[in-house]
Amino acid sequence: MVRPIDDEYLPRRDVFCIDVKSFFASVEAVRRRIHPLHAYVIVIAHKERSGSVVLAASPRVKKEFGIKTGSRNYEIPKDPRLILVEPSMALYLKVNKMILDIFRRFVAEEDLHCYSIDEAFLDVTASKRLFGDTFTIARTIQRTVWQELRLVVTIGIGDNPLLAKLALDNEGKNAPNGISYWSYEDVPAKVWAIDPITDMWGISNGYAKALYNIGIESVKDLAHADKWKIKRKFGVIGEQLFYHAWGIDYSVISEKVGAREKSFSKGQILLRDYDKEDEIVIVIKEMTEDVAMRLRQHGAAAAGIALGISYSRDIEDRGFKHQIVLPRSTNKTAELCEHFVRLFKKYWDGQPVRQIHVVCSKLQPAAHEQIDLFTPPELDERRHILDETIDQIRDRFGKKAIFHAYSLMKGGTYLQRAGHIGGHKGASY
């Protein structure tokens, strides 16, 4: 095997990618004193609605009933063994912190990267002197999480974060002992064998289609393609995909790179298709109000916005995403709402909407807000006082203490979402 770079320049570290098996469902099983691997738990928000989406299902449910994350409520069979529960996001976040605290016993903070609520990367290269070889550390972490939290974790081990992630997703999650190791030497037999190509980390359906159009149908095809041709078509991402096909990843967990530009955003999947303009506008205003409040809490103002609209999955058109630079930076709710609604009305063509995403970007300190010559100073001041008053009331008495009347109209979702964490109920525990 002739790699695109010499072996001596390949970084080799001992990296774990750790996943908590069916995290939400497992936490709910432990909560009910059931072994996570023996439970028949399905976590689903708004379980009274037939179209509600499954957030998590325990391993037995996946294996025996074919129900998994993304399945719909109406697809769940009426079986007395199945336990349907509403999500408890506050509890999941608490357990996530407990898991990360266990990981911190084995690695320094800079060698730990929380990838998602149920997955993390650990660089144990420097930990072997204290805790033994790589596999000993992996088994010890598995045992510790089980003894203290009764949760099952699977671990992918690799010479870099990419190989650790691929080992986890493509082998570790189904390995008898929950541990899998992929090295650079395993690339031809394991990485190139990943099928379909979308199971390769970083290759979405869109990239897979674009690669197929230039004759690349597999990871092996990608590894043996013309690197410069791939880069010309996809830019730096194309070059990255090429090197990933060879198992090459230069990222080091301790050398974390911060985001180039901070932004505040909010996304929402609607519980039904929205096809009336006034109802969609209400939801956009409610979401903008949440983002504007976060801007003010951080003393920031936005000079740019972006609006993403996804249509119903029953139609061919997928939706749109557009962004604009604002005439001046602002964090005032009314002003931002005007811009978002204007952007929506400009591009919406009447298709049924199922998902909305609002983003405030190009952040500046709020103190640097420009004066708008076309807005009377007294109106600007009234908006500022109104926003500040609403923020103070909500901080003290909760989000439901004060809200706009349009949230009571058909289509409004604010009152349903108030008190939610990560878009789901932060139920007590």
Side-chain angles (χ1 to χ4, degrees), residues 96-142:
N96 169 257
K97 181 181 182 303
M98 295 167 72
I99 294 169
L100 293 177
D101 285 342
I102 290 176
F103 294 164
R104 290 186 178 98
R105 300 178 199 171
F106 296 90
V107 295
E109 187 67 38
E110 61 266 24
D111 289 325
L112 170 64
H113 174 66
C114 183
Y115 183 65
S116 66
I117 194 171
D118 62 347
E119 205 165 293
F121 286 94
L122 284 69
D123 188 332
V124 300
T125 306
S127 304
K128 293 189 291 183
R129 288 174 293 180
L130 296 174
F131 302 104
D133 64 69
T134 306
F135 285 91
T136 298
I137 297 174
R139 289 190 291 268
T140 304
I141 289 176
Q142 280 184 324

Side-chain angles (χ1 to χ4, degrees), residues 205-217 229 233-234:
N205 288 324
Y207 276 119
K209 184 177 180 180
L211 289 168
Y212 179 81
N213 289 337
I214 59 174
I216 296 174
E217 300 181 32
K229 180 180 177 182
K233 182 169 181 62
F234 299 102

Side-chain angles (χ1 to χ4, degrees), residues 32 36 38 107 111 152 193 197 236 279 286 297 336 344 357 376 418:
R32 290 161 175 79
H38 301 160
V107 295
D111 289 325
V152 177
I197 194 172
V236 67
E279 292 185 4
E286 290 176 336
Q297 288 173 338
L336 287 168
F344 167 71
H357 196 73

